[in-house]
Amino acid sequence: SHFVLPLIDDQSDDGNATWLGRMAGDTWQRFANLRAGLGFMWAHPGKKLVGMGTEFANGQGWRSAGELDWSLLDDPCHGGMLRLVADLNRLYGNEPALHHFDCQPEGFAWVVGDDSVNSVIAFMRYGPEGTAPLLAISNFTPRVLTEYRLGVPALGTWYEVLNTDSTFYGGSNVGNAHGVRAQL
C-alpha cells in the first residue's frame, strides 16, 4: 500500500509544538536527534511530508498569522538543517534504492530492528537490478558507537553517502567517511 510519512508541527502560540522543541537534551542533542530523525524518514519507504519551517527547524510552531523566522538561517544549526533537507531530497532522487520500489516489499529489508539497548535501527533499501543497494543506519542516542557490527548482503567496502552528523549540517563529524570493509 502507499503511505505518507508526515512530520508536521502543531499550531502553537507558545513555540513548544515544534519537533525541535519536543526533542530531549540540550540544544546540540535536540538538533542531532532531529537530523537523525529526518535521515531515517528519508531512507524509510513512503512519501515524505514535512510541515512549513521543519526544513530548517523553525523556532516556533506553525501559525496561520505570521511568517517563518528566516533570520534563524544565520545560525549554523538551522542553516545546516536546511542543507541537510536539500541533500536528503537530492539523494532521494539520485538513489534508485530510495524510490524505485518505494511501496513494494522487495525494496526493503530489516537489518537491525530490535536493538533497544543502543537505540539503533538499520535497514536495506533496494532498487532495480544493476543498481547498488543502500544501507540506512540510525543511532538515536548521543553516544558514539564504535565497533558496532551488523550484517550486510555483500562483501567489499561500504561507503557513506550521507551523514546527518556532518559538520556541514551542524554535527560533530563522527562517521565512516573512508568506508567500512565488510567481513565474513
Side-chain angles (χ1 to χ4, degrees):
S1 78
H2 301 270
F3 54 95
V4 174
L5 301 170
L7 189 64
I8 300 174
D9 295 331
D10 291 334
Q11 186 170 353
S12 171
D13 291 328
D14 64 6
N16 292 328
T18 66
W19 283 101
L20 182 66
R22 290 183 183 127
M23 298 292 175
D26 59 26
T27 300
W28 188 91
Q29 289 172 329
R30 288 196 318 270
F31 273 97
N33 283 335
L34 185 55
R35 289 191 313 269
L38 289 172
F40 170 81
M41 181 180 177
W42 257 255
H44 196 275
K47 302 307 175 197
K48 298 21 167 166
L49 175 65
V50 294
M52 185 171 68
T54 302
E55 71 275 14
F56 68 94
N58 190 41
Q60 296 185 14
W62 183 82
R63 295 167 294 147
S64 59
E67 60 185 65
L68 296 175
D69 190 0
W70 295 107
S71 65
L72 289 174
L73 291 174
D74 294 334
D75 179 295
C77 291
H78 292 277
M81 192 70 66
L82 185 64
R83 285 188 296 278
L84 173 63
V85 171
D87 286 351
L88 287 168
N89 284 334
R90 208 171 355 269
L91 185 67
Y92 185 83
N94 291 339
E95 288 288 334
L98 291 177
H99 61 265
H100 187 78
F101 291 122
D102 201 28
C103 298
Q104 298 163 342
E106 60 265 29
F108 179 89
W110 282 110
V111 174
V112 177
D114 59 355
D115 187 356
S116 59
V117 171
N118 293 302
S119 295
V120 170
I121 295 174
F123 51 86
M124 297 296 306
R125 292 297 308 270
Y126 297 99
E129 191 171 329
T131 62
L134 190 132
L135 172 64
I137 306 169
S138 298
N139 173 4
F140 290 106
T141 70
R143 297 184 329 248
V144 174
L145 301 174
T146 58
E147 306 294 323
Y148 190 88
R149 295 178 62 89
L150 50 82
V152 293
L155 292 176
T157 303
W158 288 71
Y159 293 98
E160 199 171 82
V161 294
L162 190 135
N163 177 357
T164 64
D165 193 44
S166 167
T167 53
F168 188 63
Y169 307 130
S172 58
N173 224 31
V174 173
N176 299 294
H178 301 293
V180 175
R181 186 123 185 102
Q183 302 171 341
L184 286 174

